[in-house]
Coordinates of all heavy atoms in Angstrom, one line a residue:
F237 N 0.4 4.1 11.2 CA 1.0 3.7 9.9 C 1.3 2.2 9.9 O 1.9 1.7 10.8 CB 2.3 4.6 9.7 CG 2.1 6.0 9.5 CD1 2.1 6.8 10.7 CD2 1.8 6.6 8.3 CE1 1.9 8.2 10.6 CE2 1.6 8.0 8.3 CZ 1.7 8.8 9.3
V238 N 1.0 1.6 8.7 CA 1.3 0.3 8.4 C 2.3 0.3 7.2 O 1.9 0.7 6.1 CB 0.0 -0.6 8.1 CG1 0.4 -2.0 7.8 CG2 -1.0 -0.5 9.2
V239 N 3.5 -0.1 7.4 CA 4.5 -0.1 6.4 C 4.9 -1.5 6.0 O 5.4 -2.3 6.8 CB 5.8 0.7 6.8 CG1 6.7 0.8 5.7 CG2 5.3 2.1 7.2
A240 N 4.7 -1.9 4.7 CA 5.0 -3.3 4.3 C 6.3 -3.3 3.7 O 6.8 -2.4 2.9 CB 3.9 -3.6 3.2
G241 N 7.1 -4.3 4.1 CA 8.4 -4.6 3.6 C 8.3 -5.2 2.2 O 7.1 -5.5 1.6
L242 N 9.4 -5.6 1.5 CA 9.4 -6.2 0.2 C 9.4 -7.7 0.3 O 10.1 -8.2 1.3 CB 10.6 -5.7 -0.6 CG 10.7 -4.2 -0.9 CD1 11.9 -3.9 -1.8 CD2 9.4 -3.8 -1.6
G243 N 8.8 -8.4 -0.6 CA 8.8 -9.9 -0.6 C 10.0 -10.4 -1.2 O 11.0 -9.7 -1.6
R244 N 10.0 -11.7 -1.5 CA 11.0 -12.5 -2.2 C 11.0 -12.2 -3.6 O 10.5 -13.1 -4.4 CB 11.0 -13.9 -1.8 CG 11.3 -14.2 -0.3 CD 10.8 -15.6 0.1 NE 11.3 -16.7 -0.8 CZ 12.5 -17.3 -0.7 NH1 13.3 -16.9 0.2 NH2 12.8 -18.2 -1.6
M245 N 11.5 -11.1 -4.1 CA 11.3 -10.7 -5.5 C 12.1 -11.6 -6.4 O 11.7 -11.6 -7.6 CB 11.6 -9.2 -5.6 CG 10.6 -8.3 -5.0 SD 11.0 -6.6 -4.9 CE 12.2 -6.4 -6.1
G246 N 13.0 -12.3 -5.9 CA 13.8 -13.2 -6.8 C 13.1 -14.4 -7.1 O 13.6 -15.2 -7.9
C247 N 11.8 -14.6 -6.6 CA 11.0 -15.8 -6.8 C 9.8 -15.5 -7.7 O 9.0 -16.5 -7.8 CB 10.6 -16.4 -5.4 SG 12.1 -17.0 -4.5
I248 N 9.6 -14.3 -8.1 CA 8.4 -14.1 -8.9 C 8.6 -14.6 -10.3 O 9.8 -14.7 -10.8 CB 8.1 -12.5 -9.0 CG1 9.2 -11.8 -9.7 CG2 7.8 -12.0 -7.5 CD1 8.9 -10.3 -9.9
P249 N 7.5 -15.0 -11.0 CA 7.7 -15.7 -12.3 C 8.5 -14.8 -13.4 O 9.3 -15.4 -14.1 CB 6.2 -15.8 -12.8 CG 5.4 -15.9 -11.6 CD 6.1 -15.0 -10.6
S250 N 8.4 -13.5 -13.3 CA 9.2 -12.7 -14.2 C 10.7 -12.9 -14.1 O 11.4 -12.9 -15.0 CB 8.8 -11.2 -14.0 OG 9.7 -10.3 -14.8
I251 N 11.2 -13.0 -12.8 CA 12.6 -13.2 -12.5 C 12.9 -14.6 -12.8 O 14.0 -14.9 -13.3 CB 12.9 -12.8 -11.1 CG1 12.6 -11.2 -10.8 CG2 14.4 -13.1 -10.7 CD1 13.5 -10.3 -11.7
L252 N 12.1 -15.6 -12.4 CA 12.4 -17.0 -12.6 C 12.6 -17.2 -14.1 O 13.4 -18.0 -14.5 CB 11.2 -17.8 -12.1 CG 11.1 -18.0 -10.6 CD1 9.8 -18.7 -10.2 CD2 12.3 -18.7 -10.0
A253 N 11.8 -16.6 -14.9 CA 11.8 -16.8 -16.4 C 13.2 -16.3 -16.9 O 13.6 -16.7 -18.0 CB 10.7 -16.0 -17.0
Q254 N 13.9 -15.5 -16.2 CA 15.2 -14.9 -16.7 C 16.3 -15.9 -16.4 O 17.4 -15.7 -16.9 CB 15.4 -13.6 -16.2 CG 14.5 -12.5 -16.6 CD 14.6 -11.2 -15.9 OE1 15.8 -10.8 -15.7 NE2 13.5 -10.5 -15.5
G255 N 16.1 -16.8 -15.5 CA 17.1 -17.7 -15.1 C 17.2 -19.0 -15.9 O 16.4 -19.2 -16.9
T256 N 18.2 -19.9 -15.6 CA 18.4 -21.0 -16.4 C 18.2 -22.3 -15.6 O 18.1 -23.5 -16.1 CB 19.8 -21.1 -17.0 OG1 20.8 -21.0 -15.9 CG2 20.0 -19.9 -17.9
D257 N 18.1 -22.2 -14.3 CA 18.1 -23.4 -13.4 C 16.6 -23.6 -12.7 O 16.5 -24.6 -12.0 CB 19.2 -23.4 -12.3 CG 19.1 -22.1 -11.4 OD1 18.1 -21.3 -11.6 OD2 20.0 -22.0 -10.6
G258 N 15.7 -22.8 -13.0 CA 14.4 -22.8 -12.4 C 14.3 -22.5 -11.0 O 13.3 -22.7 -10.3
K259 N 15.4 -22.0 -10.4 CA 15.4 -21.6 -9.0 C 15.3 -20.1 -8.8 O 15.5 -19.3 -9.7 CB 16.8 -22.0 -8.3 CG 16.9 -23.6 -8.4 CD 18.3 -23.9 -7.7 CE 18.4 -25.5 -7.7 NZ 19.8 -25.8 -7.1
C260 N 15.0 -19.7 -7.6 CA 14.8 -18.3 -7.3 C 16.2 -17.6 -7.5 O 17.2 -18.2 -7.3 CB 14.4 -18.0 -5.8 SG 12.7 -18.7 -5.4
S261 N 16.1 -16.3 -7.9 CA 17.4 -15.6 -8.0 C 17.8 -15.1 -6.7 O 17.2 -14.1 -6.1 CB 17.2 -14.4 -9.0 OG 18.3 -13.5 -8.9
E262 N 18.8 -15.7 -6.1 CA 19.4 -15.3 -4.8 C 20.0 -13.9 -4.9 O 20.0 -13.1 -3.9 CB 20.3 -16.3 -4.2 CG 19.6 -17.5 -3.6 CD 18.5 -17.1 -2.6 OE1 18.8 -16.3 -1.7 OE2 17.4 -17.6 -2.8
E263 N 20.5 -13.5 -6.1 CA 21.0 -12.2 -6.3 C 20.0 -11.2 -6.1 O 20.2 -10.1 -5.4 CB 21.6 -12.1 -7.7 CG 22.2 -10.7 -8.0 CD 22.6 -10.6 -9.4 OE1 22.5 -11.5 -10.2 OE2 23.1 -9.5 -9.7
V264 N 18.8 -11.4 -6.6 CA 17.7 -10.4 -6.4 C 17.2 -10.4 -5.0 O 16.9 -9.4 -4.4 CB 16.6 -10.7 -7.5 CG1 15.4 -9.7 -7.1 CG2 17.1 -10.5 -8.9
N265 N 17.1 -11.6 -4.4 CA 16.6 -11.7 -3.0 C 17.6 -11.0 -2.1 O 17.1 -10.2 -1.2 CB 16.4 -13.1 -2.6 CG 15.2 -13.8 -3.2 OD1 14.2 -13.1 -3.5 ND2 15.1 -15.1 -3.2
Q266 N 18.9 -11.1 -2.4 CA 19.9 -10.5 -1.5 C 19.8 -9.0 -1.7 O 20.1 -8.2 -0.8 CB 21.3 -11.1 -1.7 CG 21.4 -12.5 -1.3 CD 21.3 -12.6 0.2 OE1 21.8 -11.9 1.0 NE2 20.6 -13.7 0.7
L267 N 19.6 -8.6 -2.9 CA 19.6 -7.2 -3.3 C 18.6 -6.3 -2.5 O 19.0 -5.2 -2.1 CB 19.2 -7.1 -4.8 CG 19.2 -5.6 -5.4 CD1 20.5 -4.9 -5.4 CD2 18.6 -5.7 -6.9
V268 N 17.5 -6.9 -2.2 CA 16.5 -6.1 -1.5 C 16.6 -6.2 0.1 O 15.9 -5.4 0.8 CB 15.1 -6.5 -1.9 CG1 14.9 -6.3 -3.4 CG2 14.8 -7.9 -1.5
L269 N 17.5 -7.0 0.5 CA 17.7 -7.2 1.9 C 18.0 -5.9 2.7 O 17.5 -5.6 3.7 CB 18.7 -8.3 2.3 CG 18.2 -9.7 2.1 CD1 19.3 -10.6 2.5 CD2 17.0 -10.0 2.9
P270 N 19.0 -5.0 2.1 CA 19.3 -3.8 2.8 C 18.1 -2.9 2.9 O 18.0 -2.2 3.9 CB 20.4 -3.1 1.9 CG 21.0 -4.3 1.2 CD 19.9 -5.2 1.0
F271 N 17.2 -2.9 2.0 CA 16.0 -2.0 2.0 C 15.1 -2.5 3.2 O 14.7 -1.7 4.0 CB 15.1 -2.2 0.7 CG 13.9 -1.4 0.8 CD1 13.9 0.0 0.6 CD2 12.7 -2.0 1.0 CE1 12.7 0.7 0.6 CE2 11.5 -1.3 1.1 CZ 11.5 0.0 0.8
N272 N 14.8 -3.8 3.3 CA 14.0 -4.3 4.4 C 14.7 -4.0 5.7 O 13.9 -3.6 6.7 CB 13.7 -5.8 4.2 CG 12.6 -6.1 3.2 OD1 11.9 -5.2 2.8 ND2 12.6 -7.3 2.7
T273 N 15.9 -4.2 5.8 CA 16.6 -3.9 7.1 C 16.6 -2.5 7.5 O 16.3 -2.1 8.6 CB 18.1 -4.3 7.0 OG1 18.2 -5.8 6.7 CG2 18.8 -4.1 8.3
N274 N 16.7 -1.7 6.5 CA 16.7 -0.2 6.7 C 15.3 0.3 7.1 O 15.1 1.2 7.9 CB 17.1 0.6 5.5 CG 18.7 0.5 5.2 OD1 19.4 -0.1 6.0 ND2 19.1 1.1 4.2
V275 N 14.3 -0.3 6.5 CA 12.8 0.0 6.8 C 12.6 -0.3 8.2 O 11.9 0.5 9.0 CB 11.9 -0.6 5.8 CG1 10.5 -0.4 6.3 CG2 12.0 0.0 4.5
K276 N 13.0 -1.4 8.7 CA 12.8 -1.8 10.1 C 13.5 -0.8 11.0 O 12.9 -0.3 12.0 CB 13.4 -3.2 10.4 CG 12.6 -4.3 9.7 CD 13.3 -5.6 9.9 CE 12.7 -6.7 9.1 NZ 13.5 -8.0 9.2
T277 N 14.6 -0.3 10.7 CA 15.3 0.7 11.5 C 14.6 2.0 11.5 O 14.4 2.7 12.5 CB 16.8 0.9 11.0 OG1 17.5 -0.4 11.1 CG2 17.5 1.9 11.9
M278 N 14.1 2.3 10.3 CA 13.3 3.5 10.0 C 12.1 3.6 11.0 O 11.7 4.6 11.6 CB 13.0 3.7 8.6 CG 12.0 4.9 8.3 SD 11.4 4.8 6.6 CE 10.2 3.5 6.7
I279 N 11.4 2.4 11.0 CA 10.2 2.3 11.8 C 10.5 2.6 13.3 O 9.8 3.4 13.9 CB 9.6 0.9 11.7 CG1 9.1 0.6 10.2 CG2 8.5 0.6 12.7 CD1 7.9 1.4 9.8
S280 N 11.5 2.0 13.8 CA 12.0 2.2 15.2 C 12.2 3.7 15.4 O 11.9 4.3 16.4 CB 13.1 1.4 15.6 OG 12.8 0.0 15.5
N281 N 13.0 4.4 14.4 CA 13.4 5.7 14.6 C 12.2 6.7 14.6 O 12.1 7.6 15.3 CB 14.4 6.1 13.5 CG 15.7 5.4 13.8 OD1 16.1 5.0 14.9 ND2 16.5 5.4 12.7
L282 N 11.2 6.4 13.6 CA 10.1 7.3 13.5 C 9.2 7.1 14.8 O 8.7 8.1 15.3 CB 9.3 6.8 12.3 CG 9.9 7.2 10.9 CD1 9.1 6.6 9.8 CD2 10.0 8.7 10.8
N283 N 9.1 5.9 15.3 CA 8.3 5.8 16.6 C 8.9 6.5 17.8 O 8.2 7.0 18.6 CB 8.2 4.3 16.9 CG 7.1 3.5 16.1 OD1 6.2 4.1 15.7 ND2 7.3 2.3 15.9
Q284 N 10.2 6.6 17.7 CA 10.9 7.3 18.8 C 10.9 8.9 18.6 O 10.8 9.6 19.6 CB 12.4 6.9 18.9 CG 12.6 5.5 19.4 CD 14.0 5.0 19.4 OE1 14.9 5.8 19.1 NE2 14.2 3.7 19.7
N285 N 10.9 9.3 17.4 CA 11.2 10.7 17.1 C 9.9 11.5 16.8 O 9.9 12.7 16.9 CB 12.1 10.9 16.0 CG 13.5 10.3 16.2 OD1 13.9 10.2 17.5 ND2 14.2 9.8 15.3
L286 N 8.8 10.9 16.4 CA 7.5 11.6 16.1 C 6.5 11.4 17.2 O 6.0 10.3 17.4 CB 7.1 11.1 14.7 CG 7.9 11.3 13.5 CD1 7.3 10.8 12.2 CD2 8.3 12.7 13.4
P287 N 6.2 12.4 17.9 CA 5.3 12.3 19.0 C 3.9 11.8 18.6 O 3.4 12.1 17.6 CB 5.2 13.7 19.5 CG 6.4 14.4 19.1 CD 6.8 13.8 17.8
D288 N 3.5 10.8 19.4 CA 2.1 10.3 19.2 C 2.0 9.4 18.0 O 0.8 9.0 17.7 CB 1.1 11.4 19.2 CG -0.3 10.9 19.7 OD1 -0.3 10.1 20.6 OD2 -1.3 11.5 19.1
A289 N 3.1 9.1 17.3 CA 3.0 8.3 16.1 C 3.2 6.8 16.4 O 3.9 6.5 17.4 CB 3.9 8.8 15.0
K290 N 2.5 6.0 15.7 CA 2.8 4.5 15.9 C 2.9 3.9 14.4 O 1.9 3.8 13.6 CB 1.6 3.8 16.6 CG 1.9 2.4 17.0 CD 3.0 2.4 18.1 CE 3.3 1.0 18.5 NZ 4.4 1.0 19.6
F291 N 4.1 3.5 14.1 CA 4.4 2.8 12.9 C 4.6 1.3 13.1 O 5.2 1.0 14.1 CB 5.7 3.3 12.2 CG 5.6 4.7 11.7 CD1 5.6 5.8 12.6 CD2 5.5 5.0 10.3 CE1 5.5 7.1 12.0 CE2 5.4 6.2 9.8 CZ 5.5 7.4 10.7
I292 N 4.0 0.5 12.2 CA 4.3 -0.9 12.3 C 4.9 -1.4 11.0 O 4.6 -0.9 10.0 CB 3.1 -1.7 12.8 CG1 2.0 -1.8 11.7 CG2 2.5 -1.2 14.1 CD1 0.8 -2.8 12.0
Y293 N 5.6 -2.5 11.1 CA 6.2 -3.1 9.9 C 5.6 -4.5 9.6 O 5.5 -5.3 10.5 CB 7.7 -3.3 10.2 CG 8.5 -4.0 9.1 CD1 8.8 -3.3 7.9 CD2 8.9 -5.4 9.2 CE1 9.5 -3.9 6.9 CE2 9.5 -6.0 8.2 CZ 9.9 -5.3 7.1 OH 10.6 -6.0 6.0
L294 N 5.3 -4.7 8.4 CA 4.8 -6.0 7.9 C 5.8 -6.7 7.2 O 6.4 -6.2 6.1 CB 3.6 -5.8 7.0 CG 2.3 -5.2 7.6 CD1 1.2 -5.1 6.6 CD2 1.8 -5.8 8.9
D295 N 6.3 -7.9 7.6 CA 7.3 -8.7 7.0 C 6.7 -9.6 5.9 O 6.3 -10.7 6.1 CB 8.0 -9.6 8.1 CG 9.3 -10.1 7.6 OD1 9.5 -10.3 6.4 OD2 10.2 -10.3 8.5
I296 N 6.6 -8.9 4.7 CA 6.0 -9.7 3.6 C 6.8 -10.9 3.2 O 6.3 -11.9 2.9 CB 5.8 -8.7 2.4 CG1 4.9 -7.5 2.8 CG2 5.2 -9.4 1.2 CD1 3.6 -7.9 3.2
A297 N 8.1 -10.7 3.2 CA 9.1 -11.9 2.9 C 8.8 -13.1 3.8 O 8.7 -14.2 3.4 CB 10.5 -11.4 3.0
Q298 N 8.6 -12.8 5.1 CA 8.3 -13.9 6.0 C 7.0 -14.5 5.8 O 6.8 -15.8 5.9 CB 8.4 -13.4 7.5 CG 8.1 -14.4 8.6 CD 9.0 -15.6 8.5 OE1 10.3 -15.3 8.3 NE2 8.6 -16.8 8.6
M299 N 6.0 -13.7 5.5 CA 4.6 -14.3 5.1 C 4.7 -15.3 3.9 O 4.1 -16.3 3.9 CB 3.7 -13.2 4.8 CG 3.3 -12.2 5.9 SD 2.1 -11.0 5.4 CE 2.2 -9.9 6.8
L300 N 5.4 -14.8 2.9 CA 5.6 -15.7 1.7 C 6.4 -16.8 2.0 O 6.1 -17.9 1.4 CB 6.2 -14.8 0.5 CG 5.3 -13.7 0.0 CD1 6.1 -12.8 -1.0 CD2 4.1 -14.3 -0.7
E301 N 7.4 -16.8 2.8 CA 8.2 -17.9 3.1 C 7.4 -19.0 3.9 O 7.6 -20.2 3.7 CB 9.5 -17.5 4.0 CG 10.5 -16.9 3.2 CD 11.6 -16.2 4.0 OE1 11.6 -16.5 5.2 OE2 12.4 -15.4 3.5
D302 N 6.5 -18.5 4.7 CA 5.5 -19.4 5.4 C 4.7 -20.1 4.4 O 4.4 -21.4 4.5 CB 4.8 -18.7 6.5 CG 3.7 -19.5 7.1 OD1 4.0 -20.5 7.8 OD2 2.5 -19.3 6.9
I303 N 4.2 -19.4 3.4 CA 3.3 -20.0 2.4 C 4.1 -21.0 1.6 O 3.5 -22.1 1.4 CB 2.8 -18.9 1.5 CG1 1.7 -18.1 2.3 CG2 2.1 -19.5 0.2 CD1 1.3 -16.8 1.5
V304 N 5.3 -20.7 1.2 CA 6.2 -21.7 0.5 C 6.5 -22.9 1.3 O 6.3 -24.1 0.9 CB 7.5 -21.0 0.0 CG1 8.4 -22.1 -0.5 CG2 7.2 -19.9 -1.0
A305 N 6.8 -22.7 2.6 CA 7.1 -23.9 3.4 C 5.9 -24.8 3.7 O 6.1 -25.9 4.0 CB 7.8 -23.3 4.8
N306 N 4.7 -24.2 3.7 CA 3.5 -25.0 4.0 C 2.5 -24.9 2.9 O 1.3 -24.9 3.1 CB 2.9 -24.3 5.3 CG 3.9 -24.4 6.5 OD1 4.1 -25.4 7.1 ND2 4.4 -23.2 6.8
Q307 N 3.1 -25.0 1.7 CA 2.2 -24.9 0.5 C 1.1 -25.9 0.5 O -0.1 -25.6 0.1 CB 3.0 -25.0 -0.7 CG 3.8 -26.2 -0.9 CD 4.7 -26.2 -2.2 OE1 4.1 -26.2 -3.3 NE2 5.9 -26.2 -2.1
A308 N 1.3 -27.2 0.8 CA 0.3 -28.2 0.9 C -0.8 -27.8 1.8 O -1.9 -28.0 1.6 CB 0.9 -29.6 1.2
A309 N -0.4 -27.4 3.0 CA -1.4 -27.0 4.0 C -2.3 -25.9 3.5 O -3.5 -25.9 3.8 CB -0.7 -26.7 5.3
Y310 N -1.8 -24.9 2.8 CA -2.6 -23.8 2.2 C -3.3 -24.3 1.0 O -4.2 -23.5 0.5 CB -1.7 -22.7 1.9 CG -1.2 -21.9 3.2 CD1 0.2 -21.9 3.5 CD2 -2.1 -21.2 3.9 CE1 0.7 -21.2 4.6 CE2 -1.6 -20.5 5.0 CZ -0.3 -20.5 5.4 OH 0.1 -19.8 6.5
G311 N -3.0 -25.3 0.4 CA -3.7 -25.8 -0.7 C -3.1 -25.4 -2.0 O -3.7 -25.4 -3.1
F312 N -1.8 -25.0 -2.0 CA -1.1 -24.5 -3.3 C -0.3 -25.7 -3.9 O 0.3 -26.5 -3.2 CB -0.1 -23.4 -3.0 CG -0.8 -22.1 -2.6 CD1 -0.7 -21.6 -1.2 CD2 -1.6 -21.4 -3.4 CE1 -1.3 -20.5 -0.8 CE2 -2.3 -20.3 -3.0 CZ -2.1 -19.8 -1.7
T313 N -0.4 -25.7 -5.2 CA 0.3 -26.7 -6.0 C 1.4 -26.1 -6.9 O 2.3 -26.8 -7.4 CB -0.6 -27.6 -6.8 OG1 -1.3 -26.8 -7.8 CG2 -1.6 -28.4 -5.9
T314 N 1.2 -24.8 -7.3 CA 2.1 -24.2 -8.3 C 2.6 -22.9 -7.6 O 1.9 -22.0 -7.4 CB 1.3 -23.9 -9.6 OG1 0.7 -25.1 -10.0 CG2 2.2 -23.3 -10.6
M315 N 4.0 -22.9 -7.5 CA 4.6 -21.7 -6.8 C 5.5 -20.9 -7.9 O 5.9 -19.8 -7.4 CB 5.6 -22.2 -5.7 CG 4.9 -23.3 -4.9 SD 3.8 -22.7 -3.7 CE 4.7 -21.7 -2.7
D316 N 5.8 -21.6 -8.9 CA 6.8 -21.0 -9.9 C 6.3 -20.5 -11.2 O 7.1 -20.1 -12.1 CB 7.9 -21.9 -10.0 CG 7.5 -23.3 -10.7 OD1 6.2 -23.5 -10.8 OD2 8.3 -24.1 -11.1
K317 N 5.0 -20.4 -11.3 CA 4.4 -20.0 -12.6 C 3.2 -19.1 -12.4 O 2.6 -19.1 -11.3 CB 3.9 -21.2 -13.4 CG 4.8 -22.2 -13.9 CD 4.2 -23.3 -14.7 CE 5.2 -24.4 -15.1 NZ 5.8 -25.1 -14.0

Side-chain angles (χ1 to χ4, degrees):
F237 296 90
V238 180
V239 181
L242 299 183
R244 291 165 51 84
M245 287 168 29
C247 299
I248 64 175
S250 173
I251 297 295
L252 288 172
Q254 298 174 38
T256 57
D257 58 4
K259 296 180 181 179
C260 297
S261 169
E262 283 309 308
E263 179 186 2
V264 174
N265 283 338
Q266 292 296 316
L267 176 64
V268 302
L269 285 181
F271 177 82
N272 282 343
T273 300
N274 287 357
V275 169
K276 293 174 189 177
T277 302
M278 175 189 73
I279 295 291
S280 297
N281 291 338
L282 290 172
N283 280 331
Q284 291 175 7
N285 298 331
L286 298 180
D288 207 35
K290 192 65 177 181
F291 288 78
I292 70 170
Y293 176 77
L294 299 182
D295 195 330
I296 302 298
Q298 180 60 43
M299 293 182 192
L300 292 172
E301 285 170 13
D302 174 65
I303 289 171
V304 170
N306 300 286
Q307 57 180 297
Y310 285 112
F312 293 113
T313 60
T314 306
M315 316 288 290
D316 59 350
K317 297 181 180 64

